[in-house]
Amino acid sequence: EKEKEKEKEKTKVVAVGECGLDFHYNKSPKDIQKKVFIEQIEISKQLDLPLVIHAREAENETIEIMKRYCPSTKRIHLHCFTDSLKYGQIMMKEFPNLCIGFTGAITFKNAHNNRNTVKNISLDRILLETDGPYMSPVPYRGKVSHPGYIPLVAEQIAKLHGINDVNKVLKQCRQNVVKVYGV
């Protein structure tokens, strides 16, 4: 019955998520997380909506579940990405309609691996995020994050890609939002 109600609301809902696996805090057993994640993928398939994936310390399990249960054509937003470049590359190869979201975390002093990942991902696969209330970019780290900080994330991405005009990044990332979410 809840799914029928969601179907009625389809014009207001633009995606399913954020959903996925988070093994960092272990607040839920891994087997329960996997079961629920698969169910959420099924809902996104039934409603023909994109998925917003949250994966933390669960790269291999996420890849395994996605490859088994998610169509390769699914539109996907890999949310708040701080994982390995290899994981990002595998996901982009398996899911050509997947974009990776980066937050203000790419401006953090010790975020060398995250910045390396940004450098190695094509601009047409990047989304800009706040992940509010967390992940505010430097110099606002520790404050509540909000959409007003998106230009700072875009500036860092432009710098990492050797782009002088931040508007080029903002424009491309807006096109990526349309590609993933259809809005």
Side-chain angles (χ1 to χ4, degrees), residues 37-94:
F37 184 32
I38 292 164
E39 290 171 357
Q40 291 166 326
I41 292 169
E42 292 303 319
I43 290 169
S44 79
K45 288 169 24 182
Q46 291 169 7
L47 298 177
D48 191 28
L49 290 172
L51 272 172
V52 181
I53 303 297
H54 171 98
R56 189 170 183 192
E57 297 178 18
E59 292 180 5
N60 293 334
E61 294 88 345
T62 300
I63 292 167
E64 179 185 318
I65 289 171
M66 295 288 293
K67 286 171 75 171
R68 184 167 178 195
Y69 295 97
C70 191
S72 63
T73 57
K74 176 61 77 181
R75 294 172 292 143
I76 300 167
H77 174 175
L78 196 52
H79 159 72
C80 191
F81 195 84
T82 57
D83 295 298
S84 72
L85 173 59
K86 181 180 176 185
Y87 169 56
Q89 290 171 328
I90 290 168
M91 291 294 281
M92 288 187 300
K93 182 180 177 191
E94 294 292 330

Side-chain angles (χ1 to χ4, degrees), residues 109-125:
K109 183 172 111 177
N110 295 326
H112 307 293
N113 289 338
N114 209 3
R115 283 191 292 277
N116 183 57
T117 300
V118 171
K119 280 187 210 178
N120 286 286
I121 293 180
S122 175
L123 199 55
D124 68 344
R125 302 296 290 273

Side-chain angles (χ1 to χ4, degrees):
E1 193 167 326
K2 286 182 181 180
E3 289 180 16
K4 288 180 186 178
E5 196 61 37
K6 285 183 182 183
E7 182 64 32
K8 290 178 189 174
E9 295 293 322
K10 188 174 179 181
T11 57
K12 294 179 185 177
V13 176
V14 297
V16 174
E18 75 188 69
C19 56
L21 306 172
D22 191 326
F23 297 161
H24 181 72
Y25 292 113
N26 289 319
K27 291 185 177 183
S28 298
K30 289 181 180 181
D31 60 327
I32 300 293
Q33 288 190 50
K34 290 176 183 180
K35 179 182 181 290
V36 171
F37 184 32
I38 292 164
E39 290 171 357
Q40 291 166 326
I41 292 169
E42 292 303 319
I43 290 169
S44 79
K45 288 169 24 182
Q46 291 169 7
L47 298 177
D48 191 28
L49 290 172
L51 272 172
V52 181
I53 303 297
H54 171 98
R56 189 170 183 192
E57 297 178 18
E59 292 180 5
N60 293 334
E61 294 88 345
T62 300
I63 292 167
E64 179 185 318
I65 289 171
M66 295 288 293
K67 286 171 75 171
R68 184 167 178 195
Y69 295 97
C70 191
S72 63
T73 57
K74 176 61 77 181
R75 294 172 292 143
I76 300 167
H77 174 175
L78 196 52
H79 159 72
C80 191
F81 195 84
T82 57
D83 295 298
S84 72
L85 173 59
K86 181 180 176 185
Y87 169 56
Q89 290 171 328
I90 290 168
M91 291 294 281
M92 288 187 300
K93 182 180 177 191
E94 294 292 330
F95 302 97
N97 294 317
L98 177 142
C99 286
I100 298 179
F102 292 98
T103 68
I106 64 172
T107 68
F108 297 174
K109 183 172 111 177
N110 295 326
H112 307 293
N113 289 338
N114 209 3
R115 283 191 292 277
N116 183 57
T117 300
V118 171
K119 280 187 210 178
N120 286 286
I121 293 180
S122 175
L123 199 55
D124 68 344
R125 302 296 290 273
I126 292 177
L127 296 172
L128 304 171
E129 294 189 41
T130 60
D131 198 29
Y134 310 107
M135 304 293 188
S136 292
V138 171
Y140 302 103
R141 188 170 182 184
K143 304 219 184 291
V144 173
S145 191
H146 58 75
Y149 295 151
I150 287 291
L152 297 173
V153 177
E155 285 174 9
Q156 182 69 15
I157 290 170
K159 179 180 172 184
L160 293 167
H161 277 262
I163 298 169
N164 293 326
D165 183 4
V166 70
N167 288 313
K168 181 177 179 183
V169 173
L170 291 166
K171 182 179 178 183
Q172 180 61 57
C173 289
R174 175 66 183 126
Q175 291 172 354
N176 299 346
V177 168
V178 172
K179 179 175 76 174
V180 173
Y181 290 99
V183 296

